[in-house]
Amino acid sequence: MKPVFYVFALSVFLISCKKGKKLKHEVAVQFATVSNADVYPQEYFPLFDPYDIYEIPQSPSYAHDYSKEEIADQFNKDLTYYLKKNNVLLQADTAEYVLYINTMNLSESMEREGYIDSCDWNYSMAYVYKSSLRFRIKATLYKNGIFVDSWAKEANSWESFRNKRDECNKPRVRSLVRKTPWLIQQVAKELRVKISKKMYELEH
């Protein structure tokens, strides 16, 4: 019987790690969130070499796929949906608990790599660019106006250079597989675990 018990205990532990703790009764939480996410960059990335008159300004590949309102709306809906499964009900009305979303940020960064352009008669230096994407949240929980806990969560995804090159020796870039919606969902799931576990401690 012991091996069966250990397997069951391990299964419960793994579920708790992925889905948090389900409260024995529904608990309302006032959800003080934002309606607009911060997005970086606003337009173009800073130039890698400001003194290079031939450098072309690079715009983000992914950060502007969704509006600031759409990003915030998806996160708010995802977190509300997942916490409801834990009997934590996020709402606009006043409640004993208050969950603040202090910051919500989607940022894209860019790296470049030089290569010799074999299609150019002078074999000049050229560049290829790759992006990485990060979604970050900072949240704080209060009970009756008293600080309970705070969490900072983030999810990341990035492009990579492939081994293959094109006919001009330019490295090929492997595009992001996990884009903005996945990053938002992942952070909502991770925050759900932290919030539900903390509230379970307080309520039971």
Side-chain angles (χ1 to χ4, degrees):
M1 291 295 292
K2 285 186 177 180
V4 174
F5 172 77
Y6 290 142
V7 170
F8 174 76
L10 179 60
S11 299
V12 172
F13 173 75
L14 292 176
I15 291 173
S16 176
C17 289
K18 292 180 65 176
K19 299 184 178 181
K21 299 284 288 184
K22 184 173 183 178
L23 281 64
K24 295 179 181 178
H25 56 276
E26 293 183 345
V27 178
V29 176
Q30 183 181 354
F31 194 24
T33 186
V34 298
S35 57
N36 292 274
D38 293 323
V39 176
Y40 176 86
Q42 294 290 336
E43 191 170 358
Y44 295 102
F45 289 104
L47 295 175
F48 286 90
D49 184 359
Y51 301 102
D52 183 354
I53 62 174
Y54 298 105
E55 184 177 351
I56 300 173
Q58 299 293 318
S59 59
S61 302
Y62 306 98
H64 295 168
D65 286 350
Y66 301 88
S67 69
K68 298 177 180 181
E69 294 82 5
E70 288 172 326
I71 294 168
D73 185 60
Q74 184 188 334
F75 174 79
N76 294 336
K77 287 180 177 177
D78 284 353
L79 186 61
T80 300
Y81 171 78
Y82 290 125
L83 278 175
K84 188 175 181 181
K85 293 177 178 291
N86 300 85
N87 278 337
V88 177
L89 308 182
L90 299 184
Q91 61 181 36
D93 296 336
T94 303
E96 182 181 22
Y97 289 95
V98 183
L99 176 66
Y100 289 95
I101 301 300
N102 306 110
T103 59
M104 182 185 301
N105 175 267
L106 178 71
S107 60
E108 183 174 340
S109 58
M110 180 170 282
E111 299 177 30
R112 74 172 184 175
E113 182 172 299
Y115 69 96
I116 301 300
D117 186 354
S118 60
C119 293
D120 182 69
W121 67 274
N122 199 32
Y123 285 86
S124 60
M125 176 69 74
Y127 297 96
V128 63
Y129 300 85
K130 67 175 182 177
S131 291
S132 60
L133 197 62
R134 176 171 61 183
F135 181 69
R136 294 181 292 180
I137 286 288
K138 184 176 180 181
T140 308
L141 181 67
Y142 290 84
K143 182 179 182 181
N144 293 323
I146 300 174
F147 171 81
V148 173
D149 209 339
S150 64
W151 305 274
K153 290 293 177 183
E154 68 176 56
N156 300 271
S157 186
W158 49 88
E159 293 180 331
S160 58
F161 293 123
R162 303 172 63 182
N163 293 328
K164 294 182 179 180
R165 295 175 179 252
D166 67 12
E167 64 278 5
C168 296
N169 193 42
K170 180 180 179 180
R172 297 184 184 273
V173 177
R174 184 179 289 106
S175 298
L176 290 182
V177 176
R178 296 170 174 173
K179 299 182 181 180
T180 301
W182 185 91
L183 299 180
I184 294 172
Q185 187 180 71
Q186 187 66 20
V187 170
K189 287 179 177 179
E190 293 180 7
L191 191 56
R192 163 207 189 178
V193 172
K194 294 295 185 181
I195 293 170
S196 63
K197 285 184 175 181
K198 176 57 65 174
M199 292 189 61
Y200 187 90
E201 293 175 8
L202 298 171
E203 292 292 317
H204 301 91

